[in-house]
């Protein structure tokens, strides 16, 4: 049971380049999220998904896109990377409402630098 | 809108000292959930506790304890007899009920350093 797996762990982009951050979970969780963590700050929600085919914006969605074609995968797409997108990105998932209500399981993060 | 404030940016203690991390939250919702997460130097976030707004009982788990007071909108976290392995960034977070499932508002974090 791998939990939430994020790839890559580190990436350096040039301004204007694009890339996709991969996230996969093997816990059959309905809910998945993308957060970003800026230095000295808490995490902020970028996008989230309540199930395959359903996504919605979080607090800071500009410059990002997501898709959710399967329950397991929730990739985050950066188009036209900008220095302001330099951050650590965390993918998370959570089970349906129940005993572990809103307990988020986090991946290990992707450290992205845009230069 | 929700807000979480962790007043202490950094705390430094010597091993075996007790330490309390403060968390104050703001929300107009009557149903909400409060969380503490630990982020060790390795970077991943580890869930510590979840508390709903209707349960004001304090909780103790080993050396960890949490004090939830709705009257002061606070959800403080105490580590008793701190250890070097407790060194980490600790985040307090809030989510409101209903459609905000899993959409957490995080505080800025408190960096705890425990010296041997």
């Amino acid at each position: 049971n791998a939990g939430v797996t994020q790839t890559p762990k580190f990436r350096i982009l040039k301004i204007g380049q694009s890339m996709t951050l991969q996230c996969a979970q093997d816990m059959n969780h309905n809910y998945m999220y993308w957060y970003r963590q800026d230095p000295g700050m808490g995490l902020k929600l970028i996008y989230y998904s309540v199930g395959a085919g359903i996504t919605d914006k979080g607090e800071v969605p500009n410059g990002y896109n997501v898709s959710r074609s399967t329950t397991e995968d929730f990739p985050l797409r950066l188009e036209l990377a900008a220095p302001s997108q330099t951050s650590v990105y965390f993918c998370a998932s959570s089970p349906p409402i129940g005993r572990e209500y809103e307990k988020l399981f986090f991946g290990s993060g992707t450290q992205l630098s845009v230069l | 809108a929700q807000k979480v404030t962790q007043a202490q940016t950094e705390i430094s203690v010597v091993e075996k000292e007790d330490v309390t991390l403060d968390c104050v939250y703001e929300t107009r919702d009557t149903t909400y959930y409060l969380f503490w997460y630990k982020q060790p130097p390795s970077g991943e976030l580890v869930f510590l506790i979840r508390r709903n707004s209707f349960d004001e009982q304090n909780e103790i788990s080993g050396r960890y304890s949490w004090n939830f007071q709705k009257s002061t909108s606070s959800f403080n976290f105490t580590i008793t007899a701190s250890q070097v392995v407790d060194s980490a960034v600790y985040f307090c977070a809030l989510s409101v009920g209903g459609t905000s499932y899993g959409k957490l508002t995080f505080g800025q974090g408190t960096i705890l350093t425990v010296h041997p």
Side-chain angles (χ1 to χ4, degrees), chain A residues 31 33 35 37 40-43 45 48 90 94-96 99 101-104 106, chain B residues 33 35 37 39 43-45 47 50 91 95-96 100-104 106-108:
Chain A
Y31 296 81
Y33 316 85
Y35 284 86
Q37 181 182 19
M41 304 291 289
L43 282 71
L45 182 64
Y48 67 100
F90 287 97
S94 60
R99 288 180 58 188
Y101 185 76
E102 297 210 34
K103 177 181 178 180
L104 269 62
F106 282 88
Chain B
Y33 300 84
F35 304 80
Y37 280 85
Q39 187 178 40
E44 79 280 11
L45 281 98
F47 170 87
R50 170 179 55 84
F91 291 99
S95 72
V96 299
S100 294
Y101 184 82
K103 293 154 66 176
L104 272 59
F106 282 83
Q108 79 277 16

Side-chain angles (χ1 to χ4, degrees), chain B residues 3-104:
Chain B
K3 185 178 181 181
V4 176
T5 302
Q6 294 180 247
Q8 304 128 320
T9 303
E10 291 191 54
I11 300 176
S12 182
V13 299
V14 177
E15 212 169 16
K16 298 184 182 178
E17 282 187 40
D18 298 347
V19 57
T20 295
L21 283 63
D22 298 330
C23 173
V24 174
Y25 61 92
E26 297 176 27
T27 180
R28 294 182 180 179
D29 288 76
T30 56
T31 301
Y32 53 88
Y33 300 84
L34 295 163
F35 304 80
W36 277 95
Y37 280 85
K38 174 182 180 180
Q39 187 178 40
S42 55
E44 79 280 11
L45 281 98
V46 178
F47 170 87
L48 294 178
I49 188 171
R50 170 179 55 84
R51 173 68 70 214
N52 72 55
S53 53
F54 300 108
D55 183 1
E56 285 195 72
Q57 285 189 351
N58 293 332
E59 181 155 341
I60 298 174
S61 177
R63 296 184 296 106
Y64 296 171
S65 62
W66 291 269
N67 179 255
F68 176 28
Q69 292 194 339
K70 288 179 73 171
S71 61
T72 56
S73 297
S74 64
F75 187 45
N76 297 337
F77 173 32
T78 297
I79 302 175
T80 302
S82 60
Q83 300 176 1
V84 173
V85 293
D86 295 327
S87 297
V89 183
Y90 290 86
F91 291 99
C92 181
L94 164 74
S95 72
V96 299
T99 58
S100 294
Y101 184 82
K103 293 154 66 176
L104 272 59

